[in-house]
Amino acid sequence: MSIQSRNNVNVVGSGKETIVFAHGFGCDQNMWQYLVPSYKDNFRVILFDLVGTGKSDLSQYDFDKYDSLHGYADDLIEIIDEYAEGPVIFVGHSVSATIGMLAAVKSPEKFRCQIMVGPSPSYINEGDYIGGFSRTDIEELCDMIDSNYLGWASNMAPAIMGAPEQPELGEELKNSFCRTDPAIAKHFARVTFLSDHRDAVAKCATPSLILQCSDDFIAPRSVGEYMQKTMPDADMVIIENVGHCPHLSAPHASIDAIDSFLYQRL
Amino acid sequence: MSQLPDFTFCYDHAACGLVITDIDGTIRRANATFAKWLGFQQSELVDAKKIQELFTVGGRFFHHTHWAPLLQMQGSVSEVQIDLRSRDDKIIPMLVNASRISHDGTIIDQMAFFIVDDRKKFEQELVAARKKLEASFDSLRETQNQLQRNQNMLNLAMHSAKMAGWSFNVESERVEWNNELQSLLGFDEDSGWLSKESFYNLLHPEDKDSFRQQLRHAIKSQTNYTLECRLKNSQEHWVEMEISGYAVITQHGETQSIYGICMDVSERKARLRELAALNTKLSSSDHRKNEFLATLSHELRNPLAPIRNVLEIMRIKENDATVWKKSRILIDRHVSHMSRLIEDLMDISRISHNRINLRKQAIDILPALHCAVDETKPLIDAQSHQLSINEAKAPIYVNADSTRIVQIFSNLLTNAAKYTPAGGTIDITVSQNREQVTVSVEDSGIGIPAEELENIFTMFSQLSPALERAQGGLGIGLALVHHLVTLHEGEIEVSSEGHNKGCKFTVKLPVIRRVGALDANSLQDEKSKAIKLPQRRILVIEDNQDTAQSLAELLEYAGHITCTAFDGTSGIMQAKEFKPEVILSDIGLPDISGYEVAETVRKQLAHANIYLIAITGWGQKKDKQLAKASGFNRHITKPVDFAELKQILAELPDD
């Protein structure tokens, strides 16, 4: 088993510095399609799919290994070791922001800095901490995935009616988008939304940029603020955006924020 | 024709919920159907709510993680099933198609909702059914695994127990078996021996009929069955099988097939046969032993009658010296006979317990032979047998215990005399080669039947029940002779032409060719040496008062001064008072053991320099060591041979 086939690793562009993009819960590395063109001319860009998603090798989905985000963090370190020379700039969305944080705590020397898009170390409210959800909410979410797995995990085909012009999307891409094995999707959702890695937040000294959407149901501002306050060296930029994917719905604002951070920190 | 409603009406009252939102989800249009389904006024939705705010928590996650990215990237999503929350908080499952379009430079999302209550229920059922199916599949797989494990265990158990499965189909007459039977019989998997014929070919010819018969019986009686047969294995050896099982009966009550387990019982059968043989041997040996006991009692009782008679005569003829002399000779003869019997018995016992000690030394065999002849001469003469000795003149040396050599030949000669009718011949022939000396004793007697020759040296092997025989004897003599010869690394053979044809015993012993200084006459000397007897003070400690007193009396006759004690404690006391030079002590005493007596005497009378002689029942090495360790100077075995004792006393150092 190669790391390449396990994680469907793609390397594009070239440059002195390496940027690793890691997608969040839901889809796959295609989520970075609006950002990659801006970086591939000056950076070596590494893209990959978390095991269990996209075109990763589903047979490598070990329910024990991936029973916590540490399993993914170990994979990330292996990818960096295999594909990068020197410490990397890591861009992680949502759950991958947490995965990156865990990897950076384990092997800080492998990370120059990180951009955390919509991060949340824990989704459940506890005491003063406002994760955004009650435990009941998260249980309901998991139940819904469980009982509605046809809708969640199977083919999210584009509507056949009046399809708008989207020339950059190839046929193949459309069919594999956000699709995965239902059992894996269910397990991954539980691991993602029930995880609590707040203890790692203060330990992560890697220079970090938190990209926080102004209206994000999944990662509310209170979480972004908590992270910025708790991490030893973190900036936060609020992007005017409804939703959890500023790199999709507000790519320009996202790029500006990242560039500005990199300009300051590199 | 009435006028058709306009598009606005159509839109508002369409058969589905129609919604237009900004890309952030803000509702810009919502038709009446959609508003009505959710229990809202249209005005409560338009520009007031985002579409995702109408979703459940799970739906909102889905909106962020899938819906929005998909709309962004692929422009549309179709057939998404999502739960919406009505104004009064009811969950309404809906199916939605959404597409992102550009309208007058503005990008908007338009979506159509359908209530899918039934479909949702149906889907839920489908999901439940699938879950159930998965669960039962899991359980099936687990069952299969369990079954496989059980099968493996069973195979292992059957293999270890040398068992195999076997079945016979009544209709097809086909015999089938599992791999274990094949491996039991050592055949390959592809040896193609599955036909009925091939099975019957493996059956032992003698078993075929009974096998068929037993099979028919099992089929007919529809019961459990057990049958036995022999099957030929790949090595062409017969494997003994026990096949047990049951008949499988159809619903019409007919036997369909019979199933069973074959077990390799070859070993068990072999054991049983061994056991049976052993049993036969044991019961025959038990029979011989009983015979022997009867003979023994007879033989021991026989001399008592004449002794008792003679004693009565002596009482009557109290002062008749002639009668007394005759009587003494008669009693002496019978006591000697009994002593010999008992001595033989004890020898056999010593040999069988490995307790015999041979005092081997280089001796000339010829004087020993003559000694045996002398011993048996009275019996031979009494029967008027003709005795001839054909022997070499030069000495023939063997490494042997001279007493035992005398015993061997005196036994053979006694037998020859006893089993030869009066006036027969007994011929002794001695020959020699470089390796061994051969002494044969041949008689013209009643002979030995061929079938008895084999067992002649076995214990209790006398030819016929003792009470029917005239000659008496215990039937242990030849067994003893055989043992003694063997202990001398020699061989003994017997031959007989049959009934009344006489028989010949041949003893072969290894010779020693070079002998250093050797006292060839030691044997003779032993018997004839004149013994000068110094007077000794002798204490006899023995719990059998008769034995003690008679021994003391004999010693007195021999010129010694004696004293007796009947237990250990008084023995020690007497030792202090009587001040003996010699103590003869039994070992088994009623109070303390003879060993303790010796220890005490050695401790308390250390300077008395008393010569201590132990008397024990068994001449075991262990007894001798114990005796020595506790302070005895010597050790003699019961019954005390007075001649031996006299010898010992004569040889005592003077101080």
Side-chain angles (χ1 to χ4, degrees), chain A residues 4-37:
Chain A
Q4 200 286 322
S5 65
R6 181 185 69 190
N7 285 97
N8 183 29
V9 181
N10 287 297
V11 182
V12 295
S14 60
K16 224 168 75 194
E17 301 284 341
T18 301
I19 301 188
V20 179
F21 285 102
H23 67 87
F25 180 85
C27 297
D28 62 17
Q29 60 185 272
N30 284 295
M31 288 189 121
W32 301 110
Q33 57 184 285
Y34 300 138
L35 264 57
V36 172

Side-chain angles (χ1 to χ4, degrees), chain B residues 100-119:
Chain B
R100 180 161 291 187
I101 55 167
S102 178
H103 178 71
D104 288 347
T106 307
I107 297 170
I108 55 166
D109 293 333
Q110 53 177 3
M111 43 202 83
F113 290 88
F114 300 84
I115 292 183
V116 286
D117 231 349
D118 285 349
R119 178 172 152 162

